Amino acid sequence: MSNVLVLVDHTGGKVRKTTAELLTIARRLGDPIAVYIGDGVQDALPALGQYGATKVIALTSPELTQYLVAPKAEALQQVAAKVEPSTILISSSAEGKEIAARLAVKLDSGLITDAVDVQAGPVTTQSVFAGNYSVQAKVTHGTPIITVKPNAATPEAAQTSPEVEEFDVSISDTAKTAKIVESKPREATGRPELTEAAIIVSGGRGTGGDFGPVEAFADSLGAAVGASRAAVDSGWYPHAYQVGQTGKTVSPQLYVAAGISGAIQHRAGMQTSKTIVAINKDEEAPIFELVDFGVVGDLHKVLPAATEEVTKR
Ligand code: FAD
């Protein structure tokens, strides 16, 4: 079987769900080898073994985490030279995509970003033109480098006991041009990360600026909270929670749009959700064209009633 490199996405050893998804996809293509950058590899090992990593290559040089992405791309180039992978999978985060682009140049390889599915070949599926078309693509030159969107696969466990191999890298001075001077974790909300959540409840202009009912319903379901751009531009909710073309792309099991009209730019970020529910007081609102279930009503009445019902169970 060929080796498939998976760049581990983690925070201090806590492996993100996207990595479990990448490992699941990697198993369709060959033997997954996880590349772990930074401290805490031992903490990450159980999660990496749970999803079938056959080996973990650990890169612990402090230079890799002191600077922005360039050293990581150089390090991956060196790992790739040794492992000779058939494919390299990276999460479609802002950082992941920049690493992937730099790596593609270094390896003189084709790059596909934002895949929503990857099958043997590897043949990728991308959702384009605001989600109106699906494109199947294949890298035809070099080692395929593919960034994969969150929720592209359901993580499937396949227990292994991967060995950890320490790997020394040498980082050039030119890669050390942008140093990280401070990094602050975002204020904890206690809710799941937007792009990883199984359920999202989003609010739009129809909330009138009061996200209380949206948050309460989200909390009753253990969901993340999202927002339309109109709500974000009005200063009602932070940009980090914006869903859509200029915000995050999400694909949860359940997406609830409350007081959101369903503009094409909003749909672009959520229309691949498995089940879509909308609450809107205008029965002609375009969002109803793509929903599985629709409630015509005032969200300030519907959401508290739904919250009460869920909380009772
Ligand atoms: P509106 O379109 O004003 O809709 C509000 C809805 O709430 C209406 O349907 C109304 O009937 C309903 N409503 C009102 N009161 C209630 C109530 N009490 N109960 C229930 N329903 C109620 N938008 C995004 O969301 N994400 C993006 O990333 C994004 N990127 C963009 C990029 C570009 C280049 C451009 C040009 C636009 C972008 N937009 C984006 C903006 C997008 O075009 C819409 O303007 C925006 O999505 C509208 O947000 P909204 O649905 O909350 O507001």
Side-chain angles (χ1 to χ4, degrees):
M1 285 274 264
S2 57
N3 292 324
V4 179
L5 283 189
V6 169
L7 179 60
V8 176
D9 204 358
H10 70 95
T11 318
K14 192 170 180 295
V15 176
R16 296 169 72 112
K17 183 169 152 258
T18 46
T19 299
E21 293 163 11
L22 291 188
L23 288 169
T24 302
I25 289 171
R27 298 205 312 268
R28 299 173 191 159
L29 313 175
D31 288 330
I33 297 183
V35 181
Y36 185 96
I37 296 178
D39 295 331
V41 67
Q42 290 302 330
D43 296 334
L45 217 46
L48 300 176
Q50 184 183 355
Y51 292 99
T54 54
K55 190 202 269 191
V56 178
I57 295 180
L59 313 178
T60 51
S61 162
E63 290 175 330
L64 293 168
T65 44
Q66 283 168 355
Y67 296 88
L68 286 181
V69 291
K72 292 181 182 166
E74 274 193 3
L76 276 180
Q77 178 188 18
Q78 290 163 39
V79 173
K82 180 170 179 234
V83 173
E84 297 183 348
S86 61
T87 306
I88 301 174
L89 300 177
I90 299 176
S91 298
S92 264
S93 60
E95 183 183 81
K97 284 195 272 191
E98 190 174 342
I99 293 171
R102 287 171 182 266
L103 184 62
V105 172
K106 289 177 188 304
L107 296 180
D108 187 24
S109 290
L111 165 67
I112 292 175
T113 56
D114 290 338
V116 294
D117 191 23
V118 186
Q119 295 294 338
V123 176
T124 66
T125 304
Q126 287 161 294
S127 179
V128 300
F129 294 128
N132 286 313
Y133 290 87
S134 283
V135 171
Q136 262 77 45
K138 198 170 182 318
V139 168
T140 56
H141 184 78
T143 307
I145 300 168
I146 301 168
T147 76
V148 183
K149 283 198 169 191
N151 293 309
T154 306
E156 286 163 21
Q159 194 65 50
T160 53
S161 306
E163 60 176 91
V164 178
E165 182 185 316
E166 299 278 341
F167 190 90
D168 287 330
V169 289
S170 67
I171 303 301
S172 70
D173 285 342
T174 47
K176 295 185 228 164
T177 47
K179 191 163 187 173
I180 297 171
V181 287
E182 190 184 15
S183 93
K184 284 196 227 162
R186 197 180 301 143
E187 210 175 301
T189 61
R191 299 190 184 102
E193 167 73 36
L194 187 59
T195 52
E196 295 187 356
I199 306 176
I200 296 173
V201 182
S202 284
R205 204 194 308 268
T207 60
D210 177 10
F211 264 65
V214 173
E215 290 185 333
F217 186 49
D219 290 343
S220 74
L221 294 167
V225 172
S228 73
R229 178 161 162 179
V232 170
D233 284 354
S234 303
W236 299 340
Y237 227 68
H239 179 258
Y241 299 91
Q242 182 179 315
V243 172
Q245 189 179 317
T246 44
K248 302 259 163 63
T249 303
V250 298
S251 195
Q253 295 297 324
L254 172 63
Y255 187 87
V256 181
I260 293 176
S261 60
I264 183 87
Q265 296 90 350
H266 188 79
R267 291 179 186 211
M270 47 64 75
Q271 65 186 358
T272 54
S273 305
K274 310 293 175 290
T275 301
I276 299 172
V277 176
I279 302 154
N280 198 302
K281 66 180 187 185
D282 174 10
E283 64 179 39
E284 303 286 330
I287 190 86
F288 286 128
E289 290 163 12
L290 77 156
V291 298
D292 299 283
F293 301 97
V295 181
V296 178
D298 182 343
L299 68 89
H300 294 103
K301 293 189 181 133
V302 175
L303 285 179
T307 306
E308 199 186 322
E309 204 50 48
V310 172
T311 313
K312 266 195 230 156
R313 294 177 188 208

